[in-house]
Amino acid sequence: MESPSATPFARPVYIMTKPAGALCNLACKYCYYLEKSKLYTNNPRHVMSDELLERFTRDYIAMQTSPNVLFTWHGGETLMRPISFYKKALELQKKYAGGRNIDNSIQTNGTLITEEWARFFKENHFLVGVSIDGPQEFHDEYRKTRTGKPSFLQVMKGIQWLNRYGVEWNAMAVVNDFNGDYPLDFYHFFKEIGCHYIQFTPVVERYYRHPDGRMLASPIDGAVAELTDFSVSPEQWGKFLCTLFDEWVRNDVGEYFVQIFDSTLAGWMGVPPSLCSMGETCGHAGVMEFNGDVYACDHYVFPEFKLGNIYQDTLTNMMYSERQMRFGNNKRDLLTRQCRECDFLFACHGECPRNRFAQSRDGEDGQNYLCAGYYEYFQHVAPYMDFMKYQLQHEKAPANVMEWIRQDMPEYRK
């Protein structure tokens, strides 16, 4: 019998791939990845070679213990590589599939999507994630081109091509200091453009000048780092989620899917959430740069979190290393006392460790900066989550919560 330690991850292992590194045609003010190019100033071309693409494809498929393999292409801007690159990737996936089912997802800012790209995505069953921060006023505040021009109209043109070809896509929207006070404007916009799958991500970054010119803080830079002006506040985030939830739970359950609500319900049910930040542990989702460097996580691309390089070590060794196991388990093991004693630990698990730079109520370091907002949200949604959990336990639809609310939330046997 195989030792349980041979497969320590309860879920599949993912390695997000950066075919163009941090290269991007936009210069979004809050972008956490754009400055990663400063880690590779000695490399003139920040693009993945065909040789590396083949090595990664072969090794990534081989390391999987599941019959289903997901390739995730991320940036920078992924569409700065030509369609021919992704056609080559598909050929290599077929070559090394070994009977496994291969899927592809790609994240893009949407500005470079053309009819040709949309046709390619449709024909090859790509799931496309589009970064768009809601209505034009919100989106264009921070998501500008390198020359300072707005990008909203370009993104919408790309989305129109996706819709015209029936491409499956979802929205990834960043919640920041500017748009965080307008959750309903945000949500109604996505409904108006026919987007049924939405991920709202709070932006929290800190300034800390590194010797190589990078300005954003590493998670280990501690209290010396200064919060950026574009970060959402805990109070904003809590009110944003509560207001958004009230609209969704009364009208749209089962028709529109907001990732954090789905992940919250998963927590209530005691099953792993789709949102890694709300899982008990992490470490199962690494990232590989254009030159083969592998890091612990997409938000931990800092020298101190580099696991190695695919040319010197195998993906299996790096992702299953003691160092990566410790990184993933630290999410659970380094919780503050306030977190460990919280009524909603089961749903939140301290959120993403990169945001744990605040102090707890009793002065302990390592409290999540957004804690107050999350606590307000979980406290607010608890009665509705309890009801939806009850429905699922009795093989009924969670969408019944909408009728329950219309009936003034009558008593039921829990």
Side-chain angles (χ1 to χ4, degrees), residues 55-284:
R55 179 183 288 259
F56 172 75
T57 303
R58 181 193 65 206
D59 292 0
Y60 183 59
I61 293 174
M63 77 178 294
Q64 301 298 329
T65 58
S66 165
N68 300 308
V69 182
L70 176 65
F71 282 77
T72 303
W73 308 96
H74 211 275
E77 174 46 46
T78 51
L79 303 196
M80 293 188 76
R81 299 306 312 273
I83 288 179
S84 59
F85 172 85
Y86 294 101
K87 286 183 177 178
K88 176 70 172 178
L90 293 172
E91 292 172 3
L92 291 170
Q93 289 171 5
K94 290 178 182 177
K95 178 179 178 180
Y96 294 108
R100 291 180 173 89
N101 178 54
I102 308 291
D103 290 309
N104 287 275
S105 67
I106 190 167
Q107 187 69 32
T108 173
N109 62 38
T111 61
L112 301 178
I113 297 174
T114 60
E115 182 176 11
E116 186 181 12
W117 274 111
R119 188 186 304 117
F120 171 78
F121 291 144
K122 179 63 176 179
E123 290 173 351
N124 295 285
H125 312 290
F126 271 62
L127 171 62
V128 180
V130 179
S131 298
I132 178 170
D133 287 355
Q136 185 168 6
E137 180 186 3
F138 298 157
H139 179 93
D140 284 341
E141 177 70 11
Y142 290 134
R143 299 189 66 83
K144 292 181 168 63
T145 67
R146 289 185 172 275
T147 58
K149 294 180 180 179
S151 63
F152 177 81
L153 296 180
Q154 291 172 273
V155 180
M156 289 304 300
K157 187 177 295 184
I159 289 174
Q160 288 169 5
W161 281 122
L162 296 179
N163 287 337
R164 184 173 299 183
Y165 278 85
V167 177
E168 186 178 354
W169 70 278
N170 55 47
M172 202 288 284
V174 169
V175 181
N176 51 59
D177 72 307
F178 183 74
N179 59 31
D181 293 328
Y182 304 96
L184 295 185
D185 292 24
F186 234 137
Y187 186 52
H188 293 157
F189 165 78
F190 287 116
K191 291 178 67 174
E192 287 167 6
I193 65 173
C195 180
H196 287 257
Y197 297 88
I198 314 162
Q199 177 183 349
F200 293 103
T201 300
V203 62
V204 177
E205 294 289 351
R206 296 175 298 151
Y207 289 126
Y208 181 82
R209 184 178 292 278
H210 295 87
D212 58 12
R214 288 176 294 122
M215 291 296 295
L216 296 180
S218 163
I220 66 170
D221 286 330
V224 295
E226 177 187 355
L227 192 70
T228 60
D229 54 353
F230 51 75
S231 294
V232 68
S233 72
E235 295 74 23
Q236 273 185 309
W237 182 233
K239 291 177 182 176
F240 182 94
L241 291 177
C242 291
T243 304
L244 194 69
F245 182 84
D246 284 346
E247 176 79 1
W248 174 81
V249 79
R250 285 165 171 77
N251 304 292
D252 298 322
V253 182
E255 185 174 356
Y256 291 88
F257 300 87
V258 180
Q259 188 182 36
I260 191 169
F261 300 159
D262 291 345
S263 292
T264 301
L265 183 55
W268 246 256
M269 293 295 296
V271 299
S274 62
L275 199 56
C276 65
S277 62
M278 297 174 76
E280 182 179 17
T281 59
C282 57
H284 67 283

Side-chain angles (χ1 to χ4, degrees), residues 34 40 118 190 195 234 269 358 393 406:
L34 199 61
Y40 298 100
F190 287 116
C195 180
M269 293 295 296
Q393 288 175 331
R406 283 191 284 269

Side-chain angles (χ1 to χ4, degrees), residues 307-345:
L307 299 176
N309 186 285
I310 194 173
Y311 285 108
Q312 281 84 50
D313 204 351
T314 67
L315 294 176
T316 300
N317 283 346
M318 288 184 278
M319 290 301 294
Y320 286 81
S321 66
E322 181 181 350
R323 181 182 178 189
Q324 183 68 354
M325 294 297 109
R326 185 167 59 252
F327 170 81
N329 289 334
N330 278 346
K331 185 177 191 299
R332 174 196 62 213
D333 298 341
L334 299 182
L335 290 168
T336 63
R337 178 179 176 181
Q338 180 180 332
C339 271
R340 294 195 306 272
E341 295 178 354
C342 179
D343 292 340
F344 300 115
L345 175 62

Side-chain angles (χ1 to χ4, degrees), residues 6-70:
T7 54
F9 289 114
R11 292 180 285 174
V13 179
Y14 302 104
I15 299 180
M16 186 182 293
T17 318
K18 306 279 185 173
L23 295 179
C24 189
N25 61 319
L26 298 186
C28 305
K29 182 178 179 181
Y30 57 65
C31 182
Y32 67 95
Y33 217 86
L34 199 61
E35 68 174 18
K36 303 303 180 185
S37 61
K38 295 182 185 297
L39 295 172
Y40 298 100
T41 55
N42 293 330
N43 194 320
R45 295 187 73 244
H46 291 197
V47 293
M48 184 180 294
S49 68
D50 287 351
E51 178 192 4
L52 176 56
L53 176 62
E54 180 158 8
R55 179 183 288 259
F56 172 75
T57 303
R58 181 193 65 206
D59 292 0
Y60 183 59
I61 293 174
M63 77 178 294
Q64 301 298 329
T65 58
S66 165
N68 300 308
V69 182
L70 176 65

